[in-house]
Amino acid sequence: MARQTLTFACQNCGATYGRWQGKCDSCGEWNTLVEEGAAAPTPGAARVSRKGRLFNLEPLTGEASEAPRLASGMAELDRVTGGGFVRGSVLLMAGDPGIGKSTLLIQATAALARAGERAVYISGEEAVAQVRLRAERLGLSDAPVELASETAVEDIIATLTQGKIPRLIVIDSIQTMWTDTVDSAPGTVSQVRGAAQMLIRFAKRSGAAIILVGHVTKDGQIAGPRVVEHMVDAVLSFEGEGSHQFRILRAVKNRFGPTDEIGVFEMTGSGLREVANPSELFLSERDLGSPGTAVFAGMEGTRPLLVEIQALVAPTSLGTPRRAVVGWDTSRLAMVIAVLEAHCGVKLGGYDVYLNVAGGMRINEPAADLAAAAALVSSLANSPLPADAVYFGEISLSGAIRPVAHTPSRLKESAKLGFTRAVVPEAARSEAGDDGLRASQMATYVGSLTSLVADIAALGKPRQNAAQNSGQNA
Ligand code: TYD
Ligand code: MG
């Protein structure tokens, strides 16, 4: 009798082991290994040996066609996917529970259905009545969306193969789906992988676009959608902070489009509203005239985006001062602080430093260095920065300000929002030309961090306790 081999799969990263162990060697998480029965045979992998079918090998040159796309009717969503859903592609929409994935997708499905396309929404989490209730609240009841509450992938595929193939299928969520071909319980890594594999094959075969919803859990109890990331064509991450209204949709991976575009939404009482001009939103609650805030003219993909960077520098009572960052890179902050200390005589060793990007936005650009440094110095020197100025530029370890890309777009967006001054790298002087010419008149060029620090310190009255540190450059 053949002995059944047991496998233990990490519910966090999907690594499999022959025996149980407390810690996953692959991702380092504890207590994430779960017994998943016999090693699941890859569905469809027939054991009978067959003769290979011959196929043609093609040259690189030849007919090439753009992937046919289906615009969702929601401009912010289409911006992130790169122009709409590609036929036969599978997209993973990942995000924390409660962030608004179901809301966004029922809105997208309804928009498509209203445009006359066959759009199907399968919920494995909510009953049909619940989804209807939500649709009613969102004012979408009249949209001819086809709705079901199902979790068996075989049944779903059999049903959807009937009649006209839908253009868009939403599966909410992949963690609730299960297939007969895998023995383990729904929600485990093997089930998630098996169900995703079947749905991906169905998408490729039928030409339907499928969106899989995936919950990200921190504790690893439910299979993270990590295992699915490698299998799908695109991964969109839906982010936001509970306390904020803004939701940001970001492409993490995209086989058919760019990965640096973001879509911005606002959660309202009647669903997600698209925010066409995010800068206005992110700057709407500015606290004018207080020290420690600087407006950063950033870029997200092809779109300029203005956000406020807030810094608080306060005397510390700890041996090792605190450095806390929200929305920016901690090591980037450490670098800026080091450059300020080494080249500009700004001593921050005795101070706690807090840095926050307003509105729940997350910045990845090195161009934010200059704005962060300006906010830090402004807080330390207790001198508010001019309310009508924006900052951008990368700081090098030598204390020089390095130029960044897209200077004209950044300047134009700033001018559009009423800013009259921009503190920019010296080297951008030649680049601003052309259509940014008028905007470039607002630019104040800085060559080194030292001169920026001197300018800021000259603006205001130093605090009592900061006087000996920051006043020296003025
Ligand atoms: P949901 O789409 O269910 O999140 P997910 O599918 O990602 O788990 O959104 C749930 C949250 O959104 C919930 O906290 C309530 C809020 N919400 C609104 O604020 N307005 C609305 O119109 C809707 C439908 C939800
Ligand atoms: Mg949901």
Side-chain angles (χ1 to χ4, degrees):
M1 199 177 94
R3 241 184 71 211
Q4 192 169 349
T5 45
L6 289 176
T7 351
F8 295 86
C10 171
Q11 303 299 296
N12 188 48
C13 69
T16 52
Y17 299 89
R19 58 185 176 80
W20 191 87
Q21 56 194 64
K23 185 182 175 187
C24 172
D25 294 334
S26 164
C27 66
E29 288 289 321
W30 287 90
N31 291 327
T32 53
L33 261 56
V34 167
E35 181 186 324
E36 298 217 330
T42 12
R47 283 270 151 187
V48 282
S49 64
R50 67 182 180 100
K51 216 161 152 210
R53 177 182 60 86
L54 301 182
F55 56 87
N56 294 330
L57 294 164
E58 309 265 355
L60 272 177
T61 53
E63 212 177 299
S65 59
E66 262 295 318
R69 288 185 183 271
L70 176 66
S72 68
M74 298 181 84
E76 290 293 297
L77 180 57
D78 290 340
R79 166 190 288 277
V80 181
T81 51
F85 306 119
V86 175
R87 266 170 184 261
S89 75
V90 179
L91 192 153
L92 174 70
M93 171 87 71
D96 293 330
I99 202 81
K101 301 181 294 296
S102 305
T103 308
L104 176 65
L105 292 175
I106 193 80
Q107 285 181 256
T109 321
L112 267 181
R114 273 184 181 147
E117 305 285 356
R118 188 177 177 209
V120 177
Y121 187 95
I122 311 268
S123 180
E125 300 191 335
E126 294 166 299
V128 169
Q130 263 176 301
V131 182
R132 275 196 190 129
L133 210 65
R134 185 200 307 253
E136 205 171 295
R137 195 168 139 203
L138 300 174
L140 303 171
S141 300
D142 61 313
V145 172
E146 293 172 60
L147 198 62
S149 178
E150 282 297 331
T151 53
V153 176
E154 279 84 0
D155 299 352
I156 293 172
I157 291 178
T159 308
L160 295 181
T161 318
Q162 306 278 304
K164 195 173 149 217
I165 295 291
R167 291 298 297 273
L168 178 72
I169 304 162
V170 172
I171 304 285
D172 188 359
S173 64
I174 188 64
Q175 277 113 341
T176 55
M177 296 294 139
W178 60 276
T179 154
D180 287 336
T181 53
V182 180
D183 285 342
S184 30
T188 53
V189 172
S190 350
Q191 274 294 1
V192 168
R193 195 192 290 125
Q197 247 161 16
M198 292 198 75
L199 288 164
I200 289 168
R201 230 162 332 125
F202 173 65
K204 302 274 177 259
R205 201 174 62 226
S206 66
I210 298 187
I211 301 180
L212 307 175
V213 173
H215 293 297
V216 180
T217 53
K218 297 213 169 67
D219 56 55
Q221 282 307 307
I222 307 173
R226 277 279 124 80
V227 286
V228 185
E229 279 182 12
H230 314 289
M231 303 157 64
V232 296
D233 299 301
V235 180
L236 305 188
S237 144
F238 205 30
E239 306 165 356
E241 286 193 24
S243 53
H244 291 291
Q245 246 59 308
F246 322 123
R247 298 285 184 271
I248 292 161
L249 188 65
R250 207 182 272 280
V252 181
K253 155 180 172 178
N254 196 348
R255 278 188 193 147
F256 305 109
T259 53
D260 51 2
E261 294 287 355
I262 62 165
V264 184
F265 298 86
E266 186 182 6
M267 183 60 98
T268 68
S270 52
L272 287 155
R273 192 177 66 81
E274 295 179 59
V275 179
N277 192 341
S279 301
E280 261 167 35
L281 193 75
F282 285 118
L283 294 179
S284 62
E285 287 161 20
R286 273 184 77 198
D287 187 5
L288 295 173
S290 57
T293 63
V295 176
F296 166 53
M299 291 295 292
E300 286 292 340
T302 55
R303 178 163 62 175
L305 182 66
L306 269 55
V307 286
E308 188 183 68
I309 295 187
Q310 307 166 340
L312 176 65
V313 177
T316 187
S317 53
L318 305 167
T320 313
R322 281 183 68 107
R323 306 282 183 245
V325 191
V326 178
W328 203 42
D329 191 10
T330 321
S331 47
R332 208 76 215 168
L333 174 68
M335 192 207 83
V336 170
I337 291 177
V339 175
L340 281 170
E341 296 210 336
H343 297 291
C344 312
V346 178
K347 298 278 176 272
L348 290 162
Y351 295 89
D352 287 335
V353 174
Y354 302 89
L355 196 89
N356 177 41
V357 178
M361 184 64 199
R362 205 184 65 214
I363 302 175
N364 299 320
E365 268 190 294
D369 292 353
L370 194 62
L376 288 172
V377 176
S378 159
S379 175
L380 179 69
N382 201 28
S383 55
L385 298 171
D388 60 347
V390 299
Y391 296 80
F392 60 87
E394 185 180 342
I395 294 174
S396 74
L397 286 177
S398 65
I401 314 283
R402 303 183 50 202
V404 294
H406 306 297
T407 299
S409 316
R410 296 177 202 259
L411 291 177
K412 249 172 51 188
E413 174 80 358
S414 309
K416 207 170 86 191
L417 287 162
F419 289 89
T420 55
R421 273 191 273 180
V423 179
V424 305
E426 178 70 49
R429 203 186 280 274
S430 55
E431 200 206 327
D434 288 1
D435 58 343
L437 194 66
R438 201 147 35 92
S440 72
Q441 281 159 11
M442 63 196 276
T444 307
Y445 298 101
V446 285
S448 74
L449 198 52
T450 318
S451 56
L452 178 79
V453 171
D455 290 349
I456 295 172
L459 283 173
K461 293 185 197 69
R463 265 186 304 202
Q464 288 296 302
N465 51 22
Q468 66 271 45
N469 288 324
S470 57
Q472 62 196 39
N473 283 301

